[in-house]
Amino acid sequence: MTTLKERNSIQQQFKERMDEDQLLNCMRCGFCLPSCPTYIESGFKESHSPRGRIALMKAVVDGLIEPNEDVERTLELCLGCRACEPVCPSGVKYGHLLEEARDIINQSKKHSLPVRAVRKVVFQGLFPHQNRMRLATGLLGVYQRSGLQTVARKTGLLQLLPDNLATMEKVLPKVPTMKEMVNRPTHLEADGIVKKRVAFFSGCLMDTMFLETNNATMKLLQMAGCEVVIPQNQACCGALHGHSGEKDGAKELAKRNIKAFEEMHVNYIITNAGGCGAFLIDYDHLLKDEPEWKDRAKAFVDKLKDISSVLVELKFYQYPLHLPAQVLTYQDSCHLRNVMGVSGDPRLLLKAIQGAEFREMQDSDRCCGSAGIYNIVESEMSMQILDHKMEKVKTTHATTLVTANPGCLLQMKLGIEREGLSDKMRAVHIVDLLLEAVEFAQKI
């Protein structure tokens, strides 16, 4: 419950910090409504649509309503998928408005002691420090390899967890050893003629829990003719901070990354996670009010490319790619599609795989309900969205479900488990599938 003092502070900050031009650009036309998952899943509740949320923000700025719990709740329930932006005829940057509003609310209200403690550990103590991320992930690896996981499953201890978290435990990838996480390359030569010199954004979770996907990404880049450099002093992209009302922390991480990559002198900066890429490509907006960093951020953004886009540019689809007979379908990463504007490149690569059939999924561009940690903090809405997504998946009769973001990958694996389809279908990151296709082609 926010106090009167907190509400007054929030209202003042809304007036000072919200971009009123962006708020006024919304014409209330409603083109965003069919694209918004929470609007649809809530039974077409106006306040749970982009148009409705913008109206609430504008009403707070104008002093027509107080920033009470209802306003905060509707902003919290937003997935932040930004599907509303590509369909907006006015080009409203809804995602920027949402992040600013969440930051204002978070910085102006007093959280309970347990919440403050958790936020401090996560946002200050863990994600900005890759060595601590390795340690935390390593503990999960110990749980998986020591027999504790077997004991927890056999004794029913996991039943004490909420259903979706208990199922999530089943779909977590096998965590690499600490030695594997520490011994990371800093430079890789291209296979054959060097076509591009690129820097790889390895990320935090991607370079720990999803280490094999990162390794596959670098192998594909080498095969495509890229010399690859991996800055050791890069950091978490800051997306979790930015989406959770920790804007200052996100800015600090952005500055660390810009500094790390601008020293590399590369053609491109490559990312393989849609969520990370979308936040990285907004660094120029994040640092727009800081003269020292504005141009440096723009230079960083101009070099950013998703792995699928650089592979298409270098005609990797002409590489020998083959798989045993199977049906592929693709679930878009919201942020890769809606923010980075990448949707055709992954499909072109998948269609190039011989022996496999690609089938387009209806509403593949609609959010799967993962949205960072949304599937944990907003479990009910997330699972409702996921269940409807799985209805679309099943109509494709796919045996392999492909995506391009770690959160989406875990969410789709969770959906497969919930539907009892684990013996008929798998979910895989696109780079892992492409490497699998290369290696299979080499054997035949």
PDB file of all heavy atoms in Angstrom, residues 12-41:
ATOM      1  N   GLN A  12       4.689  13.798  -8.874  1.00  0.00           N
ATOM      2  CA  GLN A  12       5.618  14.864  -9.234  1.00  0.00           C
ATOM      3  C   GLN A  12       6.655  14.365 -10.230  1.00  0.00           C
ATOM      4  O   GLN A  12       6.985  15.048 -11.214  1.00  0.00           O
ATOM      5  CB  GLN A  12       6.307  15.410  -7.976  1.00  0.00           C
ATOM      6  CG  GLN A  12       7.225  16.599  -8.229  1.00  0.00           C
ATOM      7  CD  GLN A  12       6.495  17.792  -8.836  1.00  0.00           C
ATOM      8  OE1 GLN A  12       5.331  18.050  -8.532  1.00  0.00           O
ATOM      9  NE2 GLN A  12       7.172  18.514  -9.722  1.00  0.00           N
ATOM     10  N   GLN A  13       7.173  13.150  -9.991  1.00  0.00           N
ATOM     11  CA  GLN A  13       8.164  12.572 -10.890  1.00  0.00           C
ATOM     12  C   GLN A  13       7.559  12.278 -12.267  1.00  0.00           C
ATOM     13  O   GLN A  13       8.230  12.432 -13.292  1.00  0.00           O
ATOM     14  CB  GLN A  13       8.737  11.284 -10.287  1.00  0.00           C
ATOM     15  CG  GLN A  13       9.665  11.511  -9.101  1.00  0.00           C
ATOM     16  CD  GLN A  13      10.933  12.227  -9.518  1.00  0.00           C
ATOM     17  OE1 GLN A  13      11.610  11.836 -10.462  1.00  0.00           O
ATOM     18  NE2 GLN A  13      11.240  13.320  -8.837  1.00  0.00           N
ATOM     19  N   PHE A  14       6.306  11.850 -12.298  1.00  0.00           N
ATOM     20  CA  PHE A  14       5.631  11.634 -13.576  1.00  0.00           C
ATOM     21  C   PHE A  14       5.598  12.940 -14.373  1.00  0.00           C
ATOM     22  O   PHE A  14       5.849  12.953 -15.585  1.00  0.00           O
ATOM     23  CB  PHE A  14       4.209  11.120 -13.346  1.00  0.00           C
ATOM     24  CG  PHE A  14       4.060   9.630 -13.486  1.00  0.00           C
ATOM     25  CD1 PHE A  14       4.628   8.762 -12.567  1.00  0.00           C
ATOM     26  CD2 PHE A  14       3.367   9.090 -14.551  1.00  0.00           C
ATOM     27  CE1 PHE A  14       4.495   7.391 -12.687  1.00  0.00           C
ATOM     28  CE2 PHE A  14       3.230   7.710 -14.695  1.00  0.00           C
ATOM     29  CZ  PHE A  14       3.793   6.860 -13.758  1.00  0.00           C
ATOM     30  N   LYS A  15       5.272  14.038 -13.722  1.00  0.00           N
ATOM     31  CA  LYS A  15       5.185  15.331 -14.404  1.00  0.00           C
ATOM     32  C   LYS A  15       6.542  15.769 -14.938  1.00  0.00           C
ATOM     33  O   LYS A  15       6.647  16.356 -16.012  1.00  0.00           O
ATOM     34  CB  LYS A  15       4.638  16.389 -13.446  1.00  0.00           C
ATOM     35  CG  LYS A  15       3.171  16.206 -13.088  1.00  0.00           C
ATOM     36  CD  LYS A  15       2.704  17.277 -12.113  1.00  0.00           C
ATOM     37  CE  LYS A  15       1.230  17.091 -11.755  1.00  0.00           C
ATOM     38  NZ  LYS A  15       0.763  18.097 -10.782  1.00  0.00           N
ATOM     39  N   GLU A  16       7.598  15.470 -14.193  1.00  0.00           N
ATOM     40  CA  GLU A  16       8.930  15.944 -14.552  1.00  0.00           C
ATOM     41  C   GLU A  16       9.632  15.035 -15.566  1.00  0.00           C
ATOM     42  O   GLU A  16      10.388  15.518 -16.412  1.00  0.00           O
ATOM     43  CB  GLU A  16       9.799  16.060 -13.290  1.00  0.00           C
ATOM     44  CG  GLU A  16       9.331  17.135 -12.321  1.00  0.00           C
ATOM     45  CD  GLU A  16      10.147  17.153 -11.032  1.00  0.00           C
ATOM     46  OE1 GLU A  16      11.093  16.330 -10.921  1.00  0.00           O
ATOM     47  OE2 GLU A  16       9.850  17.971 -10.149  1.00  0.00           O
ATOM     48  N   ARG A  17       9.364  13.728 -15.481  1.00  0.00           N
ATOM     49  CA  ARG A  17      10.186  12.784 -16.248  1.00  0.00           C
ATOM     50  C   ARG A  17       9.494  12.111 -17.430  1.00  0.00           C
ATOM     51  O   ARG A  17      10.162  11.699 -18.386  1.00  0.00           O
ATOM     52  CB  ARG A  17      10.731  11.688 -15.317  1.00  0.00           C
ATOM     53  CG  ARG A  17      11.772  12.203 -14.330  1.00  0.00           C
ATOM     54  CD  ARG A  17      12.164  11.124 -13.325  1.00  0.00           C
ATOM     55  NE  ARG A  17      12.529   9.857 -13.963  1.00  0.00           N
ATOM     56  CZ  ARG A  17      12.839   8.759 -13.284  1.00  0.00           C
ATOM     57  NH1 ARG A  17      12.824   8.778 -11.950  1.00  0.00           N
ATOM     58  NH2 ARG A  17      13.156   7.644 -13.930  1.00  0.00           N
ATOM     59  N   MET A  18       8.180  11.980 -17.399  1.00  0.00           N
ATOM     60  CA  MET A  18       7.514  11.286 -18.504  1.00  0.00           C
ATOM     61  C   MET A  18       7.559  12.131 -19.778  1.00  0.00           C
ATOM     62  O   MET A  18       7.403  13.354 -19.726  1.00  0.00           O
ATOM     63  CB  MET A  18       6.062  10.967 -18.142  1.00  0.00           C
ATOM     64  CG  MET A  18       5.907   9.967 -17.002  1.00  0.00           C
ATOM     65  SD  MET A  18       6.670   8.362 -17.309  1.00  0.00           S
ATOM     66  CE  MET A  18       5.648   7.732 -18.638  1.00  0.00           C
ATOM     67  N   ASP A  19       7.772  11.481 -20.902  1.00  0.00           N
ATOM     68  CA  ASP A  19       7.855  12.158 -22.195  1.00  0.00           C
ATOM     69  C   ASP A  19       6.442  12.488 -22.665  1.00  0.00           C
ATOM     70  O   ASP A  19       5.729  11.649 -23.205  1.00  0.00           O
ATOM     71  CB  ASP A  19       8.555  11.238 -23.201  1.00  0.00           C
ATOM     72  CG  ASP A  19       8.850  11.932 -24.528  1.00  0.00           C
ATOM     73  OD1 ASP A  19       8.144  12.901 -24.855  1.00  0.00           O
ATOM     74  OD2 ASP A  19       9.779  11.487 -25.228  1.00  0.00           O
ATOM     75  N   GLU A  20       6.048  13.746 -22.466  1.00  0.00           N
ATOM     76  CA  GLU A  20       4.669  14.123 -22.778  1.00  0.00           C
ATOM     77  C   GLU A  20       4.394  14.073 -24.274  1.00  0.00           C
ATOM     78  O   GLU A  20       3.257  13.803 -24.686  1.00  0.00           O
ATOM     79  CB  GLU A  20       4.356  15.521 -22.233  1.00  0.00           C
ATOM     80  CG  GLU A  20       2.869  15.817 -22.219  1.00  0.00           C
ATOM     81  CD  GLU A  20       2.482  16.901 -21.242  1.00  0.00           C
ATOM     82  OE1 GLU A  20       3.378  17.536 -20.657  1.00  0.00           O
ATOM     83  OE2 GLU A  20       1.273  17.116 -21.072  1.00  0.00           O
ATOM     84  N   ASP A  21       5.422  14.292 -25.095  1.00  0.00           N
ATOM     85  CA  ASP A  21       5.221  14.179 -26.542  1.00  0.00           C
ATOM     86  C   ASP A  21       4.816  12.770 -26.916  1.00  0.00           C
ATOM     87  O   ASP A  21       3.925  12.559 -27.752  1.00  0.00           O
ATOM     88  CB  ASP A  21       6.494  14.573 -27.297  1.00  0.00           C
ATOM     89  CG  ASP A  21       6.748  16.071 -27.260  1.00  0.00           C
ATOM     90  OD1 ASP A  21       5.778  16.817 -27.012  1.00  0.00           O
ATOM     91  OD2 ASP A  21       7.892  16.490 -27.467  1.00  0.00           O
ATOM     92  N   GLN A  22       5.472  11.777 -26.319  1.00  0.00           N
ATOM     93  CA  GLN A  22       5.130  10.387 -26.581  1.00  0.00           C
ATOM     94  C   GLN A  22       3.715  10.073 -26.077  1.00  0.00           C
ATOM     95  O   GLN A  22       2.957   9.360 -26.739  1.00  0.00           O
ATOM     96  CB  GLN A  22       6.138   9.445 -25.918  1.00  0.00           C
ATOM     97  CG  GLN A  22       7.479   9.350 -26.620  1.00  0.00           C
ATOM     98  CD  GLN A  22       7.390   8.666 -27.975  1.00  0.00           C
ATOM     99  OE1 GLN A  22       6.611   7.750 -28.182  1.00  0.00           O
ATOM    100  NE2 GLN A  22       8.190   9.148 -28.922  1.00  0.00           N
ATOM    101  N   LEU A  23       3.375  10.597 -24.910  1.00  0.00           N
ATOM    102  CA  LEU A  23       2.031  10.370 -24.374  1.00  0.00           C
ATOM    103  C   LEU A  23       0.968  10.976 -25.286  1.00  0.00           C
ATOM    104  O   LEU A  23      -0.089  10.382 -25.514  1.00  0.00           O
ATOM    105  CB  LEU A  23       1.920  10.973 -22.970  1.00  0.00           C
ATOM    106  CG  LEU A  23       2.754  10.305 -21.863  1.00  0.00           C
ATOM    107  CD1 LEU A  23       2.668  11.119 -20.572  1.00  0.00           C
ATOM    108  CD2 LEU A  23       2.294   8.875 -21.608  1.00  0.00           C
ATOM    109  N   LEU A  24       1.246  12.158 -25.819  1.00  0.00           N
ATOM    110  CA  LEU A  24       0.285  12.841 -26.688  1.00  0.00           C
ATOM    111  C   LEU A  24       0.225  12.221 -28.080  1.00  0.00           C
ATOM    112  O   LEU A  24      -0.774  12.362 -28.786  1.00  0.00           O
ATOM    113  CB  LEU A  24       0.645  14.331 -26.791  1.00  0.00           C
ATOM    114  CG  LEU A  24       0.399  15.164 -25.538  1.00  0.00           C
ATOM    115  CD1 LEU A  24       1.007  16.554 -25.691  1.00  0.00           C
ATOM    116  CD2 LEU A  24      -1.100  15.269 -25.251  1.00  0.00           C
ATOM    117  N   ASN A  25       1.318  11.528 -28.474  1.00  0.00           N
ATOM    118  CA  ASN A  25       1.339  10.910 -29.804  1.00  0.00           C
ATOM    119  C   ASN A  25       0.330   9.778 -29.929  1.00  0.00           C
ATOM    120  O   ASN A  25      -0.077   9.423 -31.043  1.00  0.00           O
ATOM    121  CB  ASN A  25       2.742  10.370 -30.122  1.00  0.00           C
ATOM    122  CG  ASN A  25       3.670  11.460 -30.623  1.00  0.00           C
ATOM    123  OD1 ASN A  25       3.226  12.540 -30.979  1.00  0.00           O
ATOM    124  ND2 ASN A  25       4.958  11.181 -30.627  1.00  0.00           N
ATOM    125  N   CYS A  26      -0.053   9.192 -28.823  1.00  0.00           N
ATOM    126  CA  CYS A  26      -1.035   8.116 -28.862  1.00  0.00           C
ATOM    127  C   CYS A  26      -2.387   8.702 -29.284  1.00  0.00           C
ATOM    128  O   CYS A  26      -2.972   9.528 -28.588  1.00  0.00           O
ATOM    129  CB  CYS A  26      -1.156   7.432 -27.506  1.00  0.00           C
ATOM    130  SG  CYS A  26      -2.424   6.137 -27.449  1.00  0.00           S
ATOM    131  N   MET A  27      -2.894   8.227 -30.430  1.00  0.00           N
ATOM    132  CA  MET A  27      -4.141   8.767 -30.987  1.00  0.00           C
ATOM    133  C   MET A  27      -5.373   8.009 -30.494  1.00  0.00           C
ATOM    134  O   MET A  27      -6.486   8.292 -30.913  1.00  0.00           O
ATOM    135  CB  MET A  27      -4.105   8.699 -32.519  1.00  0.00           C
ATOM    136  CG  MET A  27      -2.944   9.439 -33.154  1.00  0.00           C
ATOM    137  SD  MET A  27      -3.045   9.435 -34.964  1.00  0.00           S
ATOM    138  CE  MET A  27      -3.004   7.670 -35.308  1.00  0.00           C
ATOM    139  N   ARG A  28      -5.157   7.015 -29.611  1.00  0.00           N
ATOM    140  CA  ARG A  28      -6.262   6.181 -29.079  1.00  0.00           C
ATOM    141  C   ARG A  28      -6.987   5.441 -30.215  1.00  0.00           C
ATOM    142  O   ARG A  28      -8.186   5.189 -30.145  1.00  0.00           O
ATOM    143  CB  ARG A  28      -7.278   7.036 -28.298  1.00  0.00           C
ATOM    144  CG  ARG A  28      -6.675   8.015 -27.288  1.00  0.00           C
ATOM    145  CD  ARG A  28      -6.008   7.309 -26.133  1.00  0.00           C
ATOM    146  NE  ARG A  28      -5.648   8.247 -25.071  1.00  0.00           N
ATOM    147  CZ  ARG A  28      -4.429   8.780 -24.926  1.00  0.00           C
ATOM    148  NH1 ARG A  28      -3.477   8.480 -25.786  1.00  0.00           N
ATOM    149  NH2 ARG A  28      -4.172   9.592 -23.929  1.00  0.00           N
ATOM    150  N   CYS A  29      -6.252   5.119 -31.285  1.00  0.00           N
ATOM    151  CA  CYS A  29      -6.887   4.501 -32.460  1.00  0.00           C
ATOM    152  C   CYS A  29      -7.264   3.050 -32.211  1.00  0.00           C
ATOM    153  O   CYS A  29      -8.179   2.518 -32.846  1.00  0.00           O
ATOM    154  CB  CYS A  29      -5.964   4.597 -33.672  1.00  0.00           C
ATOM    155  SG  CYS A  29      -4.422   3.670 -33.493  1.00  0.00           S
ATOM    156  N   GLY A  30      -6.512   2.368 -31.341  1.00  0.00           N
ATOM    157  CA  GLY A  30      -6.832   0.984 -31.009  1.00  0.00           C
ATOM    158  C   GLY A  30      -6.141  -0.067 -31.849  1.00  0.00           C
ATOM    159  O   GLY A  30      -6.408  -1.266 -31.689  1.00  0.00           O
ATOM    160  N   PHE A  31      -5.241   0.347 -32.756  1.00  0.00           N
ATOM    161  CA  PHE A  31      -4.519  -0.655 -33.547  1.00  0.00           C
ATOM    162  C   PHE A  31      -3.686  -1.580 -32.655  1.00  0.00           C
ATOM    163  O   PHE A  31      -3.383  -2.713 -33.039  1.00  0.00           O
ATOM    164  CB  PHE A  31      -3.596   0.025 -34.571  1.00  0.00           C
ATOM    165  CG  PHE A  31      -4.297   0.495 -35.807  1.00  0.00           C
ATOM    166  CD1 PHE A  31      -4.322   1.839 -36.147  1.00  0.00           C
ATOM    167  CD2 PHE A  31      -4.937  -0.411 -36.645  1.00  0.00           C
ATOM    168  CE1 PHE A  31      -4.966   2.284 -37.287  1.00  0.00           C
ATOM    169  CE2 PHE A  31      -5.590   0.018 -37.798  1.00  0.00           C
ATOM    170  CZ  PHE A  31      -5.611   1.370 -38.117  1.00  0.00           C
ATOM    171  N   CYS A  32      -3.315  -1.095 -31.489  1.00  0.00           N
ATOM    172  CA  CYS A  32      -2.482  -1.889 -30.575  1.00  0.00           C
ATOM    173  C   CYS A  32      -3.271  -2.993 -29.873  1.00  0.00           C
ATOM    174  O   CYS A  32      -2.686  -3.970 -29.388  1.00  0.00           O
ATOM    175  CB  CYS A  32      -1.834  -0.986 -29.530  1.00  0.00           C
ATOM    176  SG  CYS A  32      -3.026  -0.086 -28.486  1.00  0.00           S
ATOM    177  N   LEU A  33      -4.580  -2.857 -29.805  1.00  0.00           N
ATOM    178  CA  LEU A  33      -5.383  -3.771 -28.976  1.00  0.00           C
ATOM    179  C   LEU A  33      -5.259  -5.237 -29.391  1.00  0.00           C
ATOM    180  O   LEU A  33      -5.020  -6.100 -28.538  1.00  0.00           O
ATOM    181  CB  LEU A  33      -6.852  -3.333 -28.981  1.00  0.00           C
ATOM    182  CG  LEU A  33      -7.137  -1.912 -28.469  1.00  0.00           C
ATOM    183  CD1 LEU A  33      -8.644  -1.649 -28.471  1.00  0.00           C
ATOM    184  CD2 LEU A  33      -6.571  -1.704 -27.074  1.00  0.00           C
ATOM    185  N   PRO A  34      -5.388  -5.582 -30.676  1.00  0.00           N
ATOM    186  CA  PRO A  34      -5.302  -7.001 -31.047  1.00  0.00           C
ATOM    187  C   PRO A  34      -3.915  -7.604 -30.840  1.00  0.00           C
ATOM    188  O   PRO A  34      -3.770  -8.827 -30.839  1.00  0.00           O
ATOM    189  CB  PRO A  34      -5.670  -7.006 -32.542  1.00  0.00           C
ATOM    190  CG  PRO A  34      -6.353  -5.703 -32.784  1.00  0.00           C
ATOM    191  CD  PRO A  34      -5.727  -4.741 -31.835  1.00  0.00           C
ATOM    192  N   SER A  35      -2.898  -6.742 -30.693  1.00  0.00           N
ATOM    193  CA  SER A  35      -1.531  -7.243 -30.541  1.00  0.00           C
ATOM    194  C   SER A  35      -1.132  -7.443 -29.083  1.00  0.00           C
ATOM    195  O   SER A  35      -0.063  -7.986 -28.808  1.00  0.00           O
ATOM    196  CB  SER A  35      -0.539  -6.268 -31.188  1.00  0.00           C
ATOM    197  OG  SER A  35      -0.461  -5.066 -30.438  1.00  0.00           O
ATOM    198  N   CYS A  36      -1.979  -7.001 -28.152  1.00  0.00           N
ATOM    199  CA  CYS A  36      -1.606  -6.997 -26.735  1.00  0.00           C
ATOM    200  C   CYS A  36      -2.101  -8.252 -26.023  1.00  0.00           C
ATOM    201  O   CYS A  36      -3.312  -8.445 -25.853  1.00  0.00           O
ATOM    202  CB  CYS A  36      -2.178  -5.756 -26.046  1.00  0.00           C
ATOM    203  SG  CYS A  36      -1.792  -5.700 -24.282  1.00  0.00           S
ATOM    204  N   PRO A  37      -1.199  -9.119 -25.557  1.00  0.00           N
ATOM    205  CA  PRO A  37      -1.614 -10.362 -24.892  1.00  0.00           C
ATOM    206  C   PRO A  37      -2.430 -10.133 -23.622  1.00  0.00           C
ATOM    207  O   PRO A  37      -3.413 -10.841 -23.388  1.00  0.00           O
ATOM    208  CB  PRO A  37      -0.288 -11.051 -24.567  1.00  0.00           C
ATOM    209  CG  PRO A  37       0.686 -10.479 -25.535  1.00  0.00           C
ATOM    210  CD  PRO A  37       0.261  -9.059 -25.727  1.00  0.00           C
ATOM    211  N   THR A  38      -2.038  -9.165 -22.802  1.00  0.00           N
ATOM    212  CA  THR A  38      -2.766  -8.972 -21.542  1.00  0.00           C
ATOM    213  C   THR A  38      -4.151  -8.393 -21.767  1.00  0.00           C
ATOM    214  O   THR A  38      -5.076  -8.657 -20.997  1.00  0.00           O
ATOM    215  CB  THR A  38      -1.969  -8.080 -20.568  1.00  0.00           C
ATOM    216  OG1 THR A  38      -1.640  -6.834 -21.206  1.00  0.00           O
ATOM    217  CG2 THR A  38      -0.691  -8.767 -20.124  1.00  0.00           C
ATOM    218  N   TYR A  39      -4.319  -7.592 -22.815  1.00  0.00           N
ATOM    219  CA  TYR A  39      -5.644  -7.078 -23.159  1.00  0.00           C
ATOM    220  C   TYR A  39      -6.562  -8.233 -23.549  1.00  0.00           C
ATOM    221  O   TYR A  39      -7.712  -8.330 -23.104  1.00  0.00           O
ATOM    222  CB  TYR A  39      -5.527  -6.074 -24.307  1.00  0.00           C
ATOM    223  CG  TYR A  39      -6.857  -5.593 -24.853  1.00  0.00           C
ATOM    224  CD1 TYR A  39      -7.653  -4.715 -24.124  1.00  0.00           C
ATOM    225  CD2 TYR A  39      -7.302  -6.017 -26.106  1.00  0.00           C
ATOM    226  CE1 TYR A  39      -8.873  -4.272 -24.627  1.00  0.00           C
ATOM    227  CE2 TYR A  39      -8.508  -5.573 -26.612  1.00  0.00           C
ATOM    228  CZ  TYR A  39      -9.296  -4.702 -25.880  1.00  0.00           C
ATOM    229  OH  TYR A  39     -10.500  -4.271 -26.371  1.00  0.00           O
ATOM    230  N   ILE A  40      -6.040  -9.140 -24.348  1.00  0.00           N
ATOM    231  CA  ILE A  40      -6.834 -10.286 -24.808  1.00  0.00           C
ATOM    232  C   ILE A  40      -7.123 -11.242 -23.662  1.00  0.00           C
ATOM    233  O   ILE A  40      -8.264 -11.664 -23.450  1.00  0.00           O
ATOM    234  CB  ILE A  40      -6.092 -11.012 -25.952  1.00  0.00           C
ATOM    235  CG1 ILE A  40      -5.987 -10.092 -27.173  1.00  0.00           C
ATOM    236  CG2 ILE A  40      -6.804 -12.315 -26.317  1.00  0.00           C
ATOM    237  CD1 ILE A  40      -5.016 -10.582 -28.230  1.00  0.00           C
ATOM    238  N   GLU A  41      -6.091 -11.593 -22.892  1.00  0.00           N
ATOM    239  CA  GLU A  41      -6.250 -12.586 -21.834  1.00  0.00           C
ATOM    240  C   GLU A  41      -7.070 -12.070 -20.655  1.00  0.00           C
ATOM    241  O   GLU A  41      -7.633 -12.857 -19.896  1.00  0.00           O
ATOM    242  CB  GLU A  41      -4.874 -13.055 -21.338  1.00  0.00           C
ATOM    243  CG  GLU A  41      -4.029 -13.754 -22.379  1.00  0.00           C
ATOM    244  CD  GLU A  41      -4.629 -15.059 -22.880  1.00  0.00           C
ATOM    245  OE1 GLU A  41      -5.495 -15.624 -22.177  1.00  0.00           O
ATOM    246  OE2 GLU A  41      -4.232 -15.518 -23.964  1.00  0.00           O
TER     247      GLU A  41
END
